[in-house]
Short mmCIF file of all heavy atoms in Angstrom, two decimals:
data_model
loop_
_atom_site.label_atom_id
_atom_site.label_comp_id
_atom_site.label_asym_id
_atom_site.label_seq_id
_atom_site.Cartn_x
_atom_site.Cartn_y
_atom_site.Cartn_z
N THR A 1 -10.89 -4.43 2.19
CA THR A 1 -9.82 -3.94 1.45
C THR A 1 -10.09 -4.08 0.03
O THR A 1 -10.75 -5.16 -0.44
CB THR A 1 -8.51 -4.45 1.94
OG1 THR A 1 -8.53 -5.87 1.70
CG2 THR A 1 -8.37 -4.21 3.33
N ASN A 2 -9.49 -3.22 -0.82
CA ASN A 2 -9.65 -3.30 -2.27
C ASN A 2 -8.32 -2.90 -2.71
O ASN A 2 -7.59 -1.97 -2.24
CB ASN A 2 -10.71 -2.61 -2.87
CG ASN A 2 -12.06 -3.19 -2.71
OD1 ASN A 2 -12.36 -4.21 -3.41
ND2 ASN A 2 -12.94 -2.73 -1.77
N TYR A 3 -7.85 -3.63 -3.88
CA TYR A 3 -6.56 -3.11 -4.40
C TYR A 3 -6.62 -2.99 -5.87
O TYR A 3 -7.45 -3.68 -6.62
CB TYR A 3 -5.53 -4.31 -4.16
CG TYR A 3 -5.31 -4.44 -2.68
CD1 TYR A 3 -5.95 -5.41 -2.04
CD2 TYR A 3 -4.28 -3.77 -2.09
CE1 TYR A 3 -5.71 -5.74 -0.68
CE2 TYR A 3 -3.98 -4.00 -0.76
CZ TYR A 3 -4.73 -4.90 -0.02
OH TYR A 3 -4.48 -5.11 1.38
N ALA A 4 -5.79 -2.13 -6.44
CA ALA A 4 -5.65 -2.01 -7.85
C ALA A 4 -4.94 -3.38 -8.51
O ALA A 4 -4.08 -3.98 -7.78
CB ALA A 4 -4.78 -0.86 -8.25
N ASP A 5 -5.33 -3.75 -9.69
CA ASP A 5 -4.73 -5.00 -10.31
C ASP A 5 -3.30 -4.84 -10.30
O ASP A 5 -2.60 -5.87 -10.17
CB ASP A 5 -5.36 -5.07 -11.56
CG ASP A 5 -6.77 -5.59 -11.62
OD1 ASP A 5 -7.24 -6.07 -10.57
OD2 ASP A 5 -7.42 -5.55 -12.70
N SER A 6 -2.66 -3.83 -10.46
CA SER A 6 -1.20 -3.56 -10.57
C SER A 6 -0.53 -3.94 -9.33
O SER A 6 0.72 -4.07 -9.41
CB SER A 6 -0.92 -2.18 -11.05
OG SER A 6 -1.48 -1.15 -10.17
N VAL A 7 -1.19 -3.91 -8.17
CA VAL A 7 -0.48 -4.12 -6.89
C VAL A 7 -1.00 -5.31 -6.11
O VAL A 7 -0.39 -5.70 -5.16
CB VAL A 7 -0.52 -2.94 -5.97
CG1 VAL A 7 0.05 -1.64 -6.78
CG2 VAL A 7 -2.06 -2.62 -5.45
N LYS A 8 -2.00 -5.91 -6.58
CA LYS A 8 -2.62 -7.07 -5.93
C LYS A 8 -1.51 -8.25 -5.78
O LYS A 8 -0.83 -8.51 -6.71
CB LYS A 8 -3.85 -7.65 -6.80
CG LYS A 8 -5.00 -6.96 -6.60
CD LYS A 8 -6.22 -7.49 -7.37
CE LYS A 8 -7.47 -6.83 -7.21
NZ LYS A 8 -8.56 -7.49 -7.98
N GLY A 9 -1.48 -8.73 -4.57
CA GLY A 9 -0.49 -9.73 -4.26
C GLY A 9 0.84 -9.24 -3.78
O GLY A 9 1.72 -9.94 -3.33
N ARG A 10 1.00 -7.90 -3.98
CA ARG A 10 2.32 -7.31 -3.58
C ARG A 10 2.09 -6.27 -2.44
O ARG A 10 2.97 -6.26 -1.68
CB ARG A 10 2.93 -6.63 -4.85
CG ARG A 10 3.47 -7.52 -5.94
CD ARG A 10 4.32 -6.83 -6.93
NE ARG A 10 3.47 -5.66 -7.56
CZ ARG A 10 3.96 -4.43 -7.53
NH1 ARG A 10 5.12 -4.19 -7.05
NH2 ARG A 10 3.23 -3.49 -8.25
N PHE A 11 1.18 -5.54 -2.50
CA PHE A 11 0.83 -4.44 -1.44
C PHE A 11 -0.16 -4.93 -0.47
O PHE A 11 -1.18 -5.62 -0.96
CB PHE A 11 0.37 -3.15 -2.17
CG PHE A 11 1.40 -2.51 -2.92
CD1 PHE A 11 2.61 -3.09 -3.28
CD2 PHE A 11 1.19 -1.31 -3.38
CE1 PHE A 11 3.68 -2.51 -4.00
CE2 PHE A 11 2.11 -0.56 -4.18
CZ PHE A 11 3.27 -1.12 -4.55
N THR A 12 -0.16 -4.45 0.71
CA THR A 12 -1.14 -4.71 1.66
C THR A 12 -1.58 -3.43 2.50
O THR A 12 -0.55 -2.90 2.95
CB THR A 12 -0.69 -5.81 2.67
OG1 THR A 12 -0.37 -7.02 1.95
CG2 THR A 12 -1.76 -6.14 3.67
N ILE A 13 -2.71 -3.10 2.55
CA ILE A 13 -3.19 -1.96 3.33
C ILE A 13 -3.83 -2.46 4.61
O ILE A 13 -4.42 -3.53 4.65
CB ILE A 13 -4.29 -1.11 2.56
CG1 ILE A 13 -4.55 0.14 3.26
CG2 ILE A 13 -5.53 -1.95 2.30
CD1 ILE A 13 -5.50 1.09 2.44
N SER A 14 -3.47 -1.81 5.59
CA SER A 14 -3.95 -2.19 6.97
C SER A 14 -4.23 -1.02 7.83
O SER A 14 -3.77 0.14 7.55
CB SER A 14 -2.96 -3.15 7.69
OG SER A 14 -1.64 -2.52 7.87
N ARG A 15 -4.85 -1.16 8.93
CA ARG A 15 -5.18 -0.10 9.93
C ARG A 15 -4.60 -0.53 11.31
O ARG A 15 -4.53 -1.64 11.60
CB ARG A 15 -6.69 0.12 10.09
CG ARG A 15 -7.31 0.69 8.86
CD ARG A 15 -8.79 1.13 9.25
NE ARG A 15 -9.67 -0.04 9.47
CZ ARG A 15 -10.22 -0.49 10.55
NH1 ARG A 15 -9.98 0.15 11.63
NH2 ARG A 15 -11.04 -1.56 10.52
N ASP A 16 -4.31 0.49 12.02
CA ASP A 16 -4.03 0.36 13.47
C ASP A 16 -4.82 1.38 14.17
O ASP A 16 -4.53 2.67 14.20
CB ASP A 16 -2.53 0.58 13.79
CG ASP A 16 -2.18 0.23 15.19
OD1 ASP A 16 -3.10 0.35 16.10
OD2 ASP A 16 -1.04 -0.19 15.36
N ASP A 17 -5.96 1.05 14.66
CA ASP A 17 -6.96 2.08 15.25
C ASP A 17 -6.38 2.63 16.51
O ASP A 17 -6.61 3.93 16.76
CB ASP A 17 -8.32 1.32 15.54
CG ASP A 17 -8.94 0.90 14.33
OD1 ASP A 17 -8.69 1.44 13.31
OD2 ASP A 17 -9.88 -0.07 14.44
N ALA A 18 -5.64 1.96 17.34
CA ALA A 18 -4.95 2.56 18.46
C ALA A 18 -4.12 3.66 18.17
O ALA A 18 -3.82 4.72 19.01
CB ALA A 18 -4.28 1.41 19.25
N LYS A 19 -3.52 3.65 17.01
CA LYS A 19 -2.47 4.81 16.50
C LYS A 19 -3.12 5.70 15.66
O LYS A 19 -2.48 6.56 15.14
CB LYS A 19 -1.30 4.05 16.01
CG LYS A 19 -0.45 3.25 16.95
CD LYS A 19 0.81 2.67 16.24
CE LYS A 19 1.57 1.80 17.37
NZ LYS A 19 2.84 1.34 16.74
N ASN A 20 -4.44 5.41 15.22
CA ASN A 20 -5.04 6.33 14.20
C ASN A 20 -4.26 6.33 12.91
O ASN A 20 -4.05 7.36 12.29
CB ASN A 20 -5.23 7.71 14.73
CG ASN A 20 -6.24 7.71 15.92
OD1 ASN A 20 -7.17 7.00 16.02
ND2 ASN A 20 -6.04 8.68 16.78
N SER A 21 -3.75 5.26 12.64
CA SER A 21 -2.88 5.24 11.35
C SER A 21 -3.37 4.10 10.49
O SER A 21 -3.97 3.08 10.77
CB SER A 21 -1.45 4.76 11.88
OG SER A 21 -1.00 5.94 12.67
N VAL A 22 -2.91 4.34 9.17
CA VAL A 22 -3.09 3.33 8.08
C VAL A 22 -1.83 3.14 7.41
O VAL A 22 -0.98 4.06 7.38
CB VAL A 22 -4.18 3.82 7.06
CG1 VAL A 22 -3.71 5.08 6.30
CG2 VAL A 22 -4.40 2.71 6.03
N TYR A 23 -1.55 1.91 6.96
CA TYR A 23 -0.17 1.62 6.41
C TYR A 23 -0.42 0.97 5.07
O TYR A 23 -1.40 0.45 4.67
CB TYR A 23 0.43 0.49 7.41
CG TYR A 23 0.62 1.05 8.72
CD1 TYR A 23 -0.43 0.57 9.70
CD2 TYR A 23 1.62 1.79 9.08
CE1 TYR A 23 -0.28 1.03 11.08
CE2 TYR A 23 1.59 2.24 10.33
CZ TYR A 23 0.78 1.86 11.33
OH TYR A 23 0.93 2.27 12.67
N LEU A 24 0.65 1.04 4.24
CA LEU A 24 0.67 0.38 3.02
C LEU A 24 1.99 -0.34 2.91
O LEU A 24 3.16 0.26 2.76
CB LEU A 24 0.68 1.23 1.82
CG LEU A 24 0.56 0.74 0.42
CD1 LEU A 24 -0.68 -0.01 0.16
CD2 LEU A 24 0.70 1.76 -0.70
N GLN A 25 1.98 -1.77 3.06
CA GLN A 25 3.24 -2.61 2.91
C GLN A 25 3.42 -2.85 1.49
O GLN A 25 2.51 -3.34 0.79
CB GLN A 25 3.06 -3.66 3.77
CG GLN A 25 4.11 -4.72 3.66
CD GLN A 25 5.54 -4.33 4.18
OE1 GLN A 25 5.47 -3.86 5.42
NE2 GLN A 25 6.49 -4.02 3.44
N MET A 26 4.62 -2.46 0.97
CA MET A 26 4.93 -2.60 -0.27
C MET A 26 5.99 -3.65 -0.54
O MET A 26 7.01 -3.46 0.04
CB MET A 26 5.33 -1.28 -0.92
CG MET A 26 4.35 -0.17 -0.72
SD MET A 26 4.96 1.48 -0.94
CE MET A 26 5.27 1.50 -2.77
N ASN A 27 5.76 -4.59 -1.34
CA ASN A 27 6.69 -5.70 -1.68
C ASN A 27 7.05 -5.82 -3.23
O ASN A 27 6.21 -5.47 -3.88
CB ASN A 27 6.26 -7.06 -1.06
CG ASN A 27 5.88 -7.04 0.43
OD1 ASN A 27 6.73 -6.52 1.11
ND2 ASN A 27 4.85 -7.65 0.87
N SER A 28 8.15 -6.29 -3.37
CA SER A 28 8.63 -6.72 -4.79
C SER A 28 8.58 -5.50 -5.70
O SER A 28 8.02 -5.52 -6.74
CB SER A 28 7.87 -7.88 -5.26
OG SER A 28 7.93 -9.02 -4.49
N LEU A 29 9.05 -4.36 -5.25
CA LEU A 29 8.96 -3.06 -6.00
C LEU A 29 9.71 -3.15 -7.26
O LEU A 29 10.82 -3.72 -7.33
CB LEU A 29 9.34 -1.80 -5.09
CG LEU A 29 8.45 -1.57 -3.82
CD1 LEU A 29 9.05 -0.26 -3.18
CD2 LEU A 29 7.04 -1.42 -4.27
N THR A 30 9.10 -2.51 -8.18
CA THR A 30 9.83 -2.38 -9.41
C THR A 30 9.75 -0.87 -9.76
O THR A 30 9.12 -0.02 -9.14
CB THR A 30 9.09 -3.02 -10.67
OG1 THR A 30 7.91 -2.37 -10.99
CG2 THR A 30 8.68 -4.41 -10.17
N PRO A 31 10.63 -0.38 -10.80
CA PRO A 31 10.59 0.95 -11.27
C PRO A 31 9.20 1.46 -11.68
O PRO A 31 8.91 2.77 -11.45
CB PRO A 31 11.65 0.96 -12.43
CG PRO A 31 12.56 -0.17 -12.13
CD PRO A 31 11.67 -1.19 -11.53
N GLU A 32 8.30 0.62 -12.02
CA GLU A 32 6.98 1.05 -12.38
C GLU A 32 6.20 1.52 -11.12
O GLU A 32 5.24 2.15 -11.30
CB GLU A 32 6.32 -0.17 -13.02
CG GLU A 32 6.76 -0.58 -14.31
CD GLU A 32 6.87 0.52 -15.45
OE1 GLU A 32 5.82 1.37 -15.58
OE2 GLU A 32 7.99 0.77 -15.99
N ASP A 33 6.69 1.28 -9.96
CA ASP A 33 6.06 1.66 -8.79
C ASP A 33 6.48 3.14 -8.29
O ASP A 33 5.97 3.48 -7.33
CB ASP A 33 6.34 0.67 -7.61
CG ASP A 33 5.68 -0.58 -7.84
OD1 ASP A 33 4.47 -0.80 -8.28
OD2 ASP A 33 6.31 -1.72 -7.81
N THR A 34 7.41 3.61 -9.04
CA THR A 34 7.92 5.03 -8.61
C THR A 34 6.80 6.02 -8.83
O THR A 34 6.17 6.03 -9.93
CB THR A 34 9.09 5.29 -9.59
OG1 THR A 34 10.19 4.42 -9.26
CG2 THR A 34 9.47 6.75 -9.28
N ALA A 35 6.50 6.72 -7.70
CA ALA A 35 5.41 7.61 -7.91
C ALA A 35 5.42 8.48 -6.52
O ALA A 35 6.10 8.04 -5.58
CB ALA A 35 4.00 6.97 -7.98
N VAL A 36 4.58 9.47 -6.40
CA VAL A 36 4.36 10.18 -5.20
C VAL A 36 3.11 9.47 -4.62
O VAL A 36 2.06 9.37 -5.27
CB VAL A 36 3.96 11.71 -5.31
CG1 VAL A 36 3.53 12.27 -4.02
CG2 VAL A 36 5.23 12.45 -5.87
N TYR A 37 3.20 8.93 -3.38
CA TYR A 37 2.09 8.28 -2.77
C TYR A 37 1.32 9.15 -1.92
O TYR A 37 2.03 9.79 -1.04
CB TYR A 37 2.58 6.95 -2.10
CG TYR A 37 2.96 5.80 -3.06
CD1 TYR A 37 4.11 5.92 -3.85
CD2 TYR A 37 2.21 4.74 -3.13
CE1 TYR A 37 4.45 4.94 -4.67
CE2 TYR A 37 2.48 3.71 -4.07
CZ TYR A 37 3.68 3.83 -4.90
OH TYR A 37 3.98 2.82 -5.78
N TYR A 38 0.04 9.19 -1.97
CA TYR A 38 -0.80 9.94 -1.16
C TYR A 38 -1.68 9.10 -0.35
O TYR A 38 -2.46 8.27 -0.81
CB TYR A 38 -1.73 10.91 -2.05
CG TYR A 38 -0.90 11.85 -2.82
CD1 TYR A 38 -0.48 11.72 -4.10
CD2 TYR A 38 -0.55 13.19 -2.21
CE1 TYR A 38 0.24 12.60 -4.79
CE2 TYR A 38 0.18 14.09 -2.92
CZ TYR A 38 0.47 13.78 -4.22
OH TYR A 38 1.29 14.74 -4.96
N CYS A 39 -1.80 9.52 0.83
CA CYS A 39 -2.98 8.96 1.83
C CYS A 39 -4.14 9.89 1.71
O CYS A 39 -3.95 11.18 1.57
CB CYS A 39 -2.36 9.00 3.30
SG CYS A 39 -3.51 8.32 4.48
#
């Protein structure tokens, strides 16, 4: 995994191969995190 400096320590990306899915756990959100998020 790799993270942008702006989200290090707050966001976690992970995979679930059985579900063919990827996740983004987002913590401690601020208004600066407002955006359209794309996979």
Side-chain angles (χ1 to χ4, degrees):
T1 61
N2 285 284
Y3 298 92
D5 289 340
S6 58
V7 305
K8 284 183 179 178
R10 297 191 297 124
F11 291 8
T12 302
I13 188 172
S14 62
R15 291 189 288 113
D16 186 334
D17 294 336
K19 297 182 178 179
N20 296 326
S21 296
V22 63
Y23 306 96
L24 186 67
Q25 178 64 58
M26 310 165 68
N27 298 320
S28 302
L29 291 187
T30 76
E32 298 299 314
D33 297 311
T34 295
V36 177
Y37 285 74
Y38 295 93
C39 178

